[in-house]
Amino acid sequence: MSTDHLKIKIISHPVPERLLDESKNPKPHIHSIERYKELYQESIANPTEFWGKHANEFLHWDKPFENVLSGGFEHGDVFWFKGGKLNASYNCVDRHAIKDPNKVAIIYEANEPGQHRSITYGQLFRDVCRFANVLKSHGLKKGDTVAIYMPMVPEAVVAFLACTRLGVIHSVVFAGFSSEALRNRIRDADSRFVITADEGRRGDKTIHIKKIVDAALKECPNVKRVFVFRRTGSEVPFDSSRDLWWHEEIEKQRPYCPPEIMDSEDPLFLLYTSGSTGKPKGILHTVAGYLLGTAVTFKYVFDYHEGDVYGCMADIGWITGHSYIVYGPLINGATTVLFESTPIYPTPSRYWETVEKHKITQFYTAPTAIRLLRKYGREYVDGRDLSSLRVIGSVGEPIQPEAWDWYNEVVGRNECAVIDTYWQTETGSIIVTPFPGATVTKPGSATLPSFGIDLAILDPITGKELEETEVEGVLAIRQPWPSMARTIYNDHGLYLKTYFQHYKNYYFTGDSVGRDADGYYWIRGRVDDVINVSGHRLSTAEIEAALIIHPSVAEAAVIGIHDDITGQSVHAFATLKQLQESVDVKELSLQVSKGIGSFASPRKIYIVKDLPKTRSGKIMRRILRKIVSGESDQLGDLSTLSDPSSIPILIETVKNS
Ligand code: WTA
C-alpha cells in the first residue's frame, strides 16, 4: 500500500521541559525513552515476569496466583493469574479507606456550576457496603447480572462497586440509549435487577431516565426489582410492587459488607458495544486482568502521582468511563473527577473552569469536544488558570493535527504532555500511546505500543505480516494481554470469529493503521461497518435494522461521512416499499432515536428509488460514500453493478436533498 501521505511534514514535539524539571513536578515514572524501551522490551520478551511482578505491586490478593498466563487466541481460552483470588471493590476502596479514609476519591462536578461535592475513600467505602447490602438483601448473589442505567452521579460509581463487592456482574447501559436499546441489553444479559435514577440533567436538558426504564421493562418479565436513585426529586412514575427508592433502602443497611472473594477469571462486567452485525455484543471483562491493565496504564500513561487530581470527561456508560473514571484511578487510590455536564454548559469555558477550580493535573477528553471548543475560540480558555495541568489526553477517534495543535498550544500552553491514546472496549485499557515523560509526540499519531502490547501490521487481503517499518495495513496483536475481553456474552463463537479468525494467531482490532519511519503508529479508522460519531461507536447495520422497522421502508443503507466537529456523521439511504410514494423523513429519524438513541440519528436521510448493488445483491456503500462526499466523478469501476443506470438518478437525488 502507498505510504505517500506519511510524508506530510509533521512537527515532532519533545517532552516538555517543565515535566522533567524536578523542582516543579514529580519525576515522571517513565522518565526517558530508554526507560520506556527497556520496560517495553521486558514486557514483550517476558510477559509472565513483567505482569506477575505488576500484579503483586498493584493488586491485593486474598490468595496468591499460581500461574501468570495460560491458554491463547486460538480457542479464546486466555487465562491470567490462575489460582489467584481477589475482590475488585476491596482493591478499589477498602485498602485506600483503611490507609487514608479522608482522602478524596471522587469529586462530583454536577451539571450546575457551583454544585460540586467530594466523596472521601472512607465515605465511598460505607456507601458501597451499604448498597451492596441492599442488593444482597434482595437476593442478588455472585454471578447474577444487573443493568445500570444511571446519569453521571457518584451513586453510579457506588452501584458499580457494590456489584463487584458481591461478585455481581454489572452491565452498564449509557443513559443516552433509548428504551428499546436498553431492553435489548437487559434481555440479552438476562439482568434481573436494574439500578437507575429518577431523571438526569445534562446542560439545559432533562433526561427522563425512569420513564425510559419503565418503557424498556414492559417486555422484560424477568426484572424483579428496580432501584431508583433520586437525582432531581421530580415526580416520576413509581411501581411500588417493583420499584424501590435508593435512599430508603440504604437507610436500612449497615455500612459494612464482606467482599465476595472471586477467582481471577470470574466475570467483572459486561459492556455492550457495536460491531459489524446489527446486534450489539456483550463484551465480557474479568476481574484480575482487567483491573491490572487499567491500573498499570492509569499510573504510567497518565503519569499519576500521589496528590494529583485526575479528570476524565467521558461518560461512565462507555468503556473510557469504566476504565479511566472508575477502575484505573480507584485501584491507584487516586482522586477522580466525575463530570456531569457538557463542555459548553453554561458556557464553552466549563471544562477550563472545572480544571481551575479543582486544580486538575491530568485531563482526558475526546477529539470531538476539542474540535467543538476550538470552533468557539480561545477566548473561552484564555484567562483560566490551567497551570495545574501536566498531562492532557485524547481518546475515541483519530485526532487531526490541527485539533492536536490547538489542544497543545491553547489548553496545554506547550507545557503539557499531549497523549493521544488508542484503545477499544475489547482491549480494556490503552494499547497505543505516548508516555508523558518519555515519548516525543507527533500530532495525529498515537505513537507507540503500551506495555505488553505486541503490535503487528497485516496485509488486509493476504493476512501476511508486513515487517518493514514504513507500511500501511490493518492493526493486530500477537500475544494476549491481561485486560483483553474474554468472550462475547453467550456467544463465544462470535468472539472467536470476530477477533481471532480473520487472521490466524492474531487479535484483529478492526482498524487500519500506518507505521512511519520512526516506528510510530497512525490509526486511520475502522475497516468494518463501524462508524464513529462524536466518539460514540455505532454500527451501520444496527442503524439500518432500526430504519427498516418503519412500515414504509423496504431497504436501508447507512454510511459514515466526514464531519469537522463530530468526526463522522450518519447518512442514511432508504428505498420505499411498493405503493408507498413518500414518507416523512422525520419519522425515519425518530425510528432510529427509538431503536438506539438520538445520538445515532442520521444527519441526513435520502429516499431513493434504488440502492447500488452488485449482481449478487450486495449494497455497494462505497459508491454511496463517494456520492455524498462530492466525489461522484471518482466512482471507479461500476461494471460489477447490477444496474449502472441507477447511478445518475442517485447522484441527482443526493444533490437535490
Ligand atoms: C477508535 C474507545 C484513533 C478506533 C476507547 C477503535 C481511536 C474504536 C482512538 C474503539 C485514537 C479509539 N485514535 N482511533 N486515539 N481511540 N479509537 O470501543 O476506531 O468505544 O477501534 O473504545 O475507536 O471504540 P470504543
Side-chain angles (χ1 to χ4, degrees):
M1 270 194 220
S2 154
T3 56
D4 283 354
H5 55 290
L6 292 179
K7 306 216 164 67
I8 299 166
K9 185 96 188 103
I10 294 276
I11 299 165
S12 302
H13 295 259
V15 172
E17 265 168 41
R18 169 174 160 262
L19 289 191
L20 300 172
D21 179 348
E22 284 175 48
S23 67
K24 293 196 182 119
N25 283 301
K27 183 176 175 180
H29 297 298
I30 316 292
H31 49 78
S32 66
I33 196 68
E34 291 72 31
R35 180 68 185 137
Y36 159 76
K37 284 185 182 156
E38 190 187 328
L39 280 172
Y40 180 72
Q41 286 313 332
E42 185 190 325
S43 74
I44 298 299
N46 202 343
T48 310
E49 201 167 298
F50 181 88
W51 289 115
K53 201 166 62 189
H54 282 86
N56 285 319
E57 185 188 324
F58 281 79
L59 300 174
H60 168 88
W61 296 87
D62 293 288
K63 183 169 168 283
F65 51 89
E66 292 145 16
N67 186 5
V68 175
L69 172 62
S70 48
F73 288 165
E74 188 184 354
H75 304 288
D77 57 352
V78 168
F79 203 126
W80 284 92
F81 310 113
K82 202 174 206 139
K85 288 187 185 289
L86 74 171
N87 176 275
S89 90
Y90 184 91
N91 271 281
C92 288
V93 188
D94 299 38
R95 50 188 185 144
H96 313 305
I98 294 164
K99 211 171 110 204
D100 187 359
N102 295 324
K103 172 154 189 193
V104 173
I106 300 171
I107 297 175
Y108 167 47
E109 174 69 19
N111 188 49
E112 294 304 324
Q115 292 185 3
H116 51 92
R117 74 186 149 94
S118 297
I119 293 106
T120 63
Y121 273 96
Q123 192 183 340
L124 185 62
F125 170 73
R126 291 187 294 277
D127 290 350
V128 168
C129 283
R130 275 216 162 99
F131 194 62
N133 279 331
V134 170
L135 297 177
K136 207 168 165 179
S137 72
H138 289 278
L140 269 174
K141 52 180 192 328
K142 179 178 168 181
D144 291 342
T145 325
V146 161
I148 298 181
Y149 189 75
M150 292 277 272
M152 290 285 290
V153 291
E155 286 70 17
V157 180
V158 171
F160 280 46
L161 295 168
C163 287
T164 65
R165 196 156 192 92
L166 302 176
V168 165
I169 306 163
H170 60 68
S171 168
V172 178
V173 181
F174 168 60
F177 276 112
S178 68
S179 57
E180 277 181 35
L182 173 63
R183 177 189 306 147
N184 293 339
R185 286 157 179 76
I186 291 174
R187 289 173 69 125
D188 190 82
D190 196 21
S191 300
R192 304 291 166 105
F193 288 63
V194 178
I195 305 170
T196 189
D198 51 359
E199 292 176 331
R201 286 245 207 276
R202 264 200 104 224
D204 50 16
K205 288 204 185 80
T206 297
I207 303 141
H208 300 283
I209 292 187
K210 177 61 167 53
K211 283 192 188 146
I212 297 170
V213 169
D214 285 353
L217 294 186
K218 281 202 181 114
E219 287 163 47
C220 298
N222 290 343
V223 172
K224 300 283 180 271
R225 287 270 174 258
V226 177
F227 297 97
V228 189
F229 171 70
R230 190 173 263 170
R231 163 65 183 85
T232 64
S234 299
E235 189 91 14
V236 291
F238 199 82
D239 171 355
S240 49
S241 68
R242 185 197 64 191
D243 303 344
L244 296 158
W245 284 113
W246 174 295
H247 58 276
E248 287 175 6
E249 288 299 301
I250 56 165
E251 280 294 302
K252 299 176 192 162
Q253 300 299 336
R254 75 169 176 137
Y256 181 71
C257 171
E260 179 79 32
I261 305 306
M262 309 288 283
D263 282 357
S264 296
E265 283 290 326
D266 274 332
L268 180 66
F269 67 79
L270 284 178
L271 185 59
Y272 283 83
T273 191
S274 298
S276 300
T277 59
K279 193 171 169 284
K281 304 174 287 200
I283 299 296
L284 184 120
H285 281 288
T286 55
V287 182
Y290 174 82
L291 292 180
L292 183 62
T294 54
V296 170
T297 47
F298 177 75
K299 177 167 171 182
Y300 294 142
V301 173
F302 293 99
D303 195 42
Y304 167 74
H305 291 263
E306 182 58 40
D308 284 349
V309 176
Y310 162 89
C312 167
M313 301 296 111
D315 192 286
I316 43 150
W318 305 108
I319 193 69
T320 305
H322 282 57
S323 299
Y324 297 110
I325 296 178
V326 182
Y327 290 107
L330 296 182
I331 287 282
N332 281 282
T335 299
T336 180
V337 174
L338 194 68
F339 179 76
E340 192 182 29
S341 196
T342 82
I344 54 169
Y345 181 77
T347 75
S349 288
R350 184 62 191 275
Y351 273 176
W352 322 122
E353 283 166 16
T354 306
V355 169
E356 183 175 38
K357 180 161 58 182
H358 303 299
K359 300 204 166 32
I360 291 176
T361 41
Q362 290 92 353
F363 181 81
Y364 198 28
T365 190
T368 186
I370 300 169
R371 290 190 297 260
L372 179 74
L373 295 172
R374 176 171 175 261
K375 196 184 83 177
Y376 277 100
R378 65 179 299 154
E379 58 268 33
Y380 291 100
V381 195
D382 291 344
R384 298 285 153 197
D385 179 5
L386 305 183
S387 58
S388 56
L389 288 173
R390 297 200 313 272
V391 177
I392 53 178
S394 163
V395 59
E397 48 175 320
I399 175 164
Q400 297 71 11
E402 302 74 37
W404 195 105
D405 286 340
W406 187 86
Y407 200 28
N408 178 44
E409 285 159 25
V410 178
V411 177
R413 303 154 333 273
N414 297 306
E415 289 196 323
C416 293
V418 180
I419 54 166
D420 172 8
T421 63
Y422 164 77
W423 57 295
Q424 311 176 298
T425 305
E426 294 87 339
T427 66
S429 58
I430 293 166
I431 60 167
V432 185
T433 181
F435 287 82
T439 315
V440 170
T441 47
K442 301 185 195 184
S445 170
T447 75
L448 298 168
S450 182
F451 301 132
I453 304 298
D454 195 3
L455 295 180
I457 298 185
L458 311 179
D459 180 300
I461 313 280
T462 63
K464 231 178 87 23
E465 198 166 320
L466 302 170
E467 284 169 11
E468 310 83 77
T469 310
E470 276 184 88
V471 285
E472 290 278 318
V474 291
L475 187 62
I477 304 177
R478 288 194 198 95
Q479 296 184 30
W481 64 102
S483 66
M484 61 181 277
R486 299 295 196 269
T487 194
I488 293 173
Y489 192 65
N490 275 341
D491 205 344
H492 198 67
L494 181 64
Y495 169 76
L496 294 176
K497 188 166 156 243
T498 311
Y499 305 111
F500 305 107
Q501 288 171 356
H502 284 275
Y503 305 106
K504 204 167 168 352
N505 296 327
Y506 293 96
Y507 166 84
F508 173 47
T509 61
D511 282 303
S512 64
V513 68
R515 189 166 50 210
D516 70 13
D518 296 320
Y520 275 37
Y521 290 83
W522 299 75
I523 309 295
R524 311 260 180 242
R526 304 286 308 194
V527 291
D528 52 12
D529 296 324
V530 170
I531 56 179
N532 197 321
V533 179
S534 299
H536 295 161
R537 179 168 158 181
L538 300 171
S539 141
T540 53
E542 216 176 318
I543 302 172
E544 288 164 8
L547 284 168
I548 57 174
I549 291 175
H550 191 281
S552 305
V553 173
E555 273 190 308
V558 165
I559 51 173
I561 293 293
H562 171 82
D563 181 280
D564 282 343
I565 300 292
T566 58
Q568 285 186 302
S569 64
V570 177
H571 287 240
F573 287 79
T575 60
L576 301 182
K577 285 181 187 161
Q578 272 174 5
L579 306 176
Q580 298 282 346
E581 283 180 352
S582 68
V583 66
D584 183 355
V585 288
K586 278 204 206 99
E587 274 181 34
L588 298 190
S589 189
L590 203 64
Q591 198 73 48
V592 179
S593 304
K594 263 180 68 193
I596 303 171
S598 52
F599 63 90
S601 277
R603 168 78 50 87
K604 253 192 149 163
I605 300 177
Y606 312 92
I607 306 294
V608 293
K609 255 179 93 116
D610 277 312
L611 289 169
K613 286 189 188 153
T614 59
R615 286 195 203 101
S616 57
K618 207 168 147 14
I619 298 172
M620 295 184 77
R621 292 180 180 73
R622 176 180 66 80
I623 292 185
L624 297 175
R625 264 194 298 271
K626 291 250 179 203
I627 295 177
V628 176
S629 310
E631 297 169 7
S632 308
D633 53 337
Q634 301 162 36
L635 295 182
D637 181 12
L638 300 178
S639 62
T640 52
L641 276 177
S642 68
D643 178 14
S645 71
S646 66
I647 299 294
I649 308 171
L650 201 59
I651 295 174
E652 208 48 33
T653 315
V654 170
K655 225 191 244 159
N656 296 333
S657 309

